Amino acid sequence: MTRGLTLAELGDLPAVTDLVTAGRALGLGRTKAYQLARTGQFPCPVIRAGATYLVPTAGLLALLGLPVPGAGSHPSAGQQ
């Protein structure tokens, strides 16, 4: 069985993480994560870079209902 990620581990993820780590955060094994990514069914955005699948951490955190660091804190946010 795949060990999921703790909240602390999720908070320490870089801006973009690999597919296996994102899958672990969702309780998915490596094979299932790649299967879902190949068929376009991974539950959050996936970036294909050559033979590599990358997952933006913001999308992963949003899917899990966790706050996205820096979201809404852009200097121009709310300005016209």
Side-chain angles (χ1 to χ4, degrees):
M1 175 163 232
T2 302
R3 183 185 73 80
L5 298 179
T6 66
L7 286 175
E9 289 171 325
L10 284 168
D12 289 339
L13 289 175
V16 178
T17 191
D18 63 276
L19 186 65
V20 174
T21 301
R24 281 183 50 211
L26 299 173
L28 301 172
R30 176 186 180 89
T31 302
K32 187 64 173 180
Y34 274 96
Q35 177 188 26
L36 292 171
R38 274 194 307 274
T39 60
Q41 296 179 341
F42 200 79
C44 61
V46 175
I47 300 167
R48 180 88 188 257
T52 304
Y53 291 97
L54 300 172
V55 178
T57 301
L60 178 60
L61 293 175
L63 175 68
L64 294 171
L66 298 172
V68 177
S73 65
H74 190 274
S76 64
Q79 294 179 5
Q80 295 184 5

